[in-house]
Amino acid sequence: MEHLSVDHLVGIRDLTRQDIELIFKTADSFKEVINRPIKKVPSLRDITIANLFFENSTRTRLSFELAEKRLSADVVNFSASSSSVKKGETLIDTVNNILSMKVDMVVMRHPNPGAAKFLSERTNTRVINAGDGTHEHPTQGLLDAFSIRERLGSVEGKKVVIVGDILHSRVALSNIYTLQKLGAEVMVCGPTTLIPKYIHTLGIKVEHNLRRALEWCDVANMLRIQLERQDIQYFPSLREYSMQYGLNKEILDSLGKEIIVMHPGPINRGVEITSDVADSSQSIILQQVENGVAIRMAVIYLLAAKIGR
Ligand code: CP
């Protein structure tokens, strides 16, 4: 069996291209499994996984739980809002208490950048980062690139623009690392205030005009404005943002080519994307969600194979 070069999935930055290709190859098999009448394999019958969510989630939490159940793992769920974290318990105490119950793997979403790395260095369980603040969301980066590969045949050489709130987005950084490692050309597009100053160090293009970005790309990944992470006002109003950076059918149809439209969710219809674009044949938003389960099955399966090694 081929193995990942890492013991945890903290960020895409730590992965090699071979790791990503191995995850995709494994996800191809699991995608076939989840489309069968019996969607389950007995691979992880002796593994217990804890899903620790210190921040809200719909897609990622459900997707991980489904992936774990499809692999026949035992699953326990933890949500910070209904836990003793509210009574002042620290992250490491919470996690050590859960691990005392013989948990083999932890999937964690946390508001602080670096939380998954912190945990991976202080426990002897496998850790999967399900989003750490504004840092990384590695399984989202993987499922997005996997969805591009599925629709366009490969990622190598494709032009992908990520549009919107890059500054507060963990999805953007994980997408940039994944796409670059697979040989895609990457651009970010948005108002100057929402593009981080360090962006030029990543070797990607920056464009502030949405039409020019769309004319350049094969794929547009539209990000949500993360109002919950914005401490100051970064643009005059959502209406003005939408007029300059919102993707609508009129712009899409005027491009003279068929680009693919993506969105990691949750969508704010009418802000970064209109309903007719989100629901159009060019949108692969629901395929991204479907692929999320196969990708997470692959990551869990490959990391579980390293337990005890
Ligand atoms: N894409 C994503 O991370 O969605 P959730 O916040 O609902 O998990």
Side-chain angles (χ1 to χ4, degrees):
M1 179 178 172
E2 289 174 85
H3 287 281
L4 293 175
S5 68
V6 291
D7 291 333
H8 310 275
L9 181 58
V10 167
I12 301 291
R13 196 176 179 177
D14 306 328
L15 299 184
T16 62
R17 180 173 179 147
Q18 288 71 30
D19 288 328
I20 298 172
E21 284 167 353
L22 175 59
I23 293 168
F24 284 6
K25 197 170 78 175
T26 312
D28 285 335
S29 317
F30 286 133
K31 182 141 186 193
E32 200 198 307
V33 169
I34 58 180
N35 281 298
R36 285 185 204 152
I38 297 170
K39 302 173 177 58
K40 223 168 159 168
V41 284
S43 316
L44 300 190
R45 264 196 313 226
D46 51 348
I47 297 285
T48 304
I49 305 177
N51 299 314
L52 312 187
F53 279 74
F54 293 84
E55 216 185 44
N56 293 346
S57 169
T58 301
R59 276 145 294 273
T60 312
R61 192 170 56 81
L62 287 177
S63 182
F64 266 112
E65 191 174 341
L66 262 182
E68 291 151 5
K69 288 181 170 166
R70 302 270 190 254
L71 289 166
S72 305
D74 288 325
V75 180
V76 284
N77 288 305
F78 163 95
S79 148
S81 58
S82 56
S83 75
S84 291
V85 169
K86 291 276 171 214
K87 301 175 192 164
E89 192 168 65
T90 65
L91 170 62
I92 202 72
D93 281 338
T94 301
V95 171
N96 278 334
N97 274 278
I98 292 165
L99 296 181
S100 305
M101 301 177 210
K102 308 289 175 226
V103 166
D104 303 293
M105 194 179 289
V106 166
V107 173
M108 185 172 75
R109 169 166 289 191
H110 198 279
N112 295 346
K117 186 168 171 56
F118 175 86
L119 200 64
S120 71
E121 290 169 351
R122 284 163 182 80
T123 61
N124 56 6
T125 182
R126 306 288 146 183
V127 175
I128 300 178
N129 181 6
D132 59 334
T134 56
H135 178 225
E136 278 221 44
H137 189 353
T139 53
Q140 183 73 46
L142 290 166
L143 76 89
D144 287 346
F146 184 82
S147 302
I148 294 172
R149 166 184 175 266
E150 183 178 70
R151 184 70 167 240
L152 297 180
S154 78
V155 176
E156 175 99 47
K158 300 297 180 298
K159 293 178 175 168
V160 183
V161 64
I162 305 168
V163 182
D165 186 356
I166 313 299
L167 185 66
H168 301 99
S169 175
R170 51 193 173 214
V171 173
L173 200 55
S174 287
N175 261 265
I176 291 167
Y177 288 142
T178 313
L179 293 166
Q180 281 186 324
K181 285 178 194 240
L182 295 175
E185 280 186 70
V186 187
M187 174 188 279
V188 290
C189 175
T192 318
T193 49
L194 291 179
I195 307 283
K197 299 228 179 328
Y198 67 78
I199 205 80
H200 297 284
T201 64
L202 298 176
I204 60 174
K205 296 178 195 301
V206 179
E207 174 60 70
H208 298 294
N209 180 289
L210 179 64
R211 169 164 284 281
R212 277 202 295 269
L214 296 174
E215 283 168 354
W216 172 84
C217 76
D218 303 306
V219 179
N221 196 349
M222 308 302 296
L223 302 185
R224 182 174 67 89
I225 293 292
Q226 305 208 16
L227 288 175
E228 75 277 17
R229 294 191 204 280
Q230 296 187 5
D231 44 356
I232 56 166
Q233 203 167 349
Y234 289 86
F235 46 84
S237 68
L238 277 180
R239 189 166 171 274
E240 187 161 325
Y241 175 83
S242 177
M243 283 167 67
Q244 284 201 43
Y245 293 101
L247 182 55
N248 60 45
K249 202 76 171 72
E250 198 185 329
I251 308 174
L252 201 60
D253 290 346
S254 71
L255 293 175
K257 61 174 182 178
E258 279 236 340
I259 64 163
I260 291 169
V261 179
M262 303 177 71
H263 195 304
I267 300 175
N268 284 323
R269 288 176 185 256
V271 179
E272 67 271 6
I273 190 170
T274 54
S275 279
D276 49 5
V277 172
D279 302 331
S280 73
S281 59
Q282 282 168 257
S283 156
I284 59 165
I285 295 170
L286 292 179
Q287 285 92 318
Q288 289 172 257
V289 178
E290 181 183 341
N291 288 335
V293 178
I295 281 289
R296 289 176 177 121
M297 285 174 82
V299 168
I300 294 165
Y301 176 79
L302 290 166
L303 287 177
K306 301 195 84 179
I307 292 173
R309 277 172 65 90

